[in-house]
Amino acid sequence: MRTPLDPRAGAALLAVAFLGWASVEAVHAVAARRGFPGGRRAVAPDVVVVLGCPPRPDGTVSGMQRWRTEIAVRTPGEPVLVFSGYARPGAPSEAAVMAAHARDGLGVDPARLRTEETATTTWENVVRTLGDLEGARHVALASSPVHALRARRYLARLRPDLAARLVPATDYRPGERWGWKAATAGYDLARSIGLRTLKTSDVRARSSPDGCVHPVGDARRGHVDIR
């Protein structure tokens, strides 16, 4: 016979669960408002760079890729969407998979889509799309809020002039993809804070992780695997 749960214990568990949920949401909500050297302006971007993340092992679009692509597509205006991410041997590139999802799954005009298919890290996502940002008046970086914050800080280190053009992507929505938010919040927040004390050369050397929640068995280092 099971012992009935003490109502006070049940209330305490609910309080702890709510605190955990609220803490994760707060981290992402704050991150979504940080990292805009020119001020956080409600302006539609001309270009959105979508940070890379691996597809599923069979080469189809992963859940994290769907989220990042949706963030880019729902961002106001009709910006050019630049998908960045490399291809593992024998597989389509991260960029190509996300661009195909935008085109075929979300109905985006192919004329708005570009791909950069060599970047293997968040740092490289930023470095290798600088040319796409050059002629834009306003630019945005699309990923989970905490990961996008880290990328904005990379851009500020690399090109302060382009970072001054940053405007928000529509990345934060309360309760959306909470499991992935929880998996990435502490990691990316800690790396973003650490950027304040690192030289640019140190950032480049330590930039391997890309903020993704990866399928089990992915070959990259330093990622969180959840199902």
Side-chain angles (χ1 to χ4, degrees):
M1 182 175 179
R2 293 182 178 178
T3 303
L5 180 65
D6 186 327
R8 291 174 296 181
L13 289 174
L14 287 174
V16 169
F18 176 78
L19 181 61
W21 177 88
S23 297
V24 168
E25 289 293 328
V27 166
H28 282 270
V30 171
R33 304 187 67 83
R34 299 289 180 86
F36 299 98
R40 191 176 186 276
R41 296 159 289 172
V43 178
D46 304 302
V47 176
V48 177
V49 172
V50 189
L51 305 178
C53 192
R56 295 182 183 278
D58 63 1
T60 58
V61 63
S62 67
M64 181 64 84
Q65 288 184 317
R66 288 179 187 274
W67 188 22
R68 294 185 183 188
T69 305
E70 289 165 7
I71 288 169
V73 171
R74 73 194 185 199
T75 294
E78 294 189 350
V80 171
L81 306 182
V82 182
F83 296 88
S84 177
Y86 81 128
R88 288 175 288 175
S93 71
E94 299 170 358
V97 172
M98 290 190 290
H101 178 57
R103 182 189 66 233
D104 301 333
L106 301 176
V108 177
D109 183 347
R112 293 175 52 201
L113 306 177
R114 298 178 188 171
T115 57
E116 182 293 305
E117 300 181 281
T118 64
T120 63
T121 68
T122 302
W123 177 266
E124 290 179 1
N125 289 149
V126 176
V127 169
R128 298 183 184 188
T129 57
L130 291 175
D132 296 286
L133 305 180
E134 289 283 0
R137 292 179 303 167
H138 303 106
V139 302
L141 304 179
S143 186
S144 67
V146 291
H147 185 216
L149 171 59
R150 176 155 61 95
R152 288 193 294 272
R153 288 183 169 167
Y154 285 166
L155 181 60
R157 285 294 182 92
L158 283 161
R159 290 287 302 274
D161 59 320
L162 294 181
R165 306 178 195 177
L166 281 165
V167 297
T170 308
D171 53 8
Y172 177 70
R173 287 184 173 176
E176 181 182 48
R177 314 279 184 167
W178 190 87
W180 287 326
K181 285 179 181 175
T184 59
Y187 176 80
D188 267 302
L189 182 64
R191 288 186 66 85
S192 291
I193 293 171
L195 291 181
R196 297 178 181 179
T197 60
L198 291 177
K199 297 179 181 178
T200 299
S201 58
D202 295 329
V203 174
R204 185 184 300 111
R206 295 171 60 177
S207 65
S208 293
D210 60 8
C212 285
V213 176
H214 290 251
V216 171
D218 185 78
R220 289 181 173 184
R221 300 176 297 160
H223 304 126
V224 179
D225 292 334
I226 66 171
R227 288 291 188 183

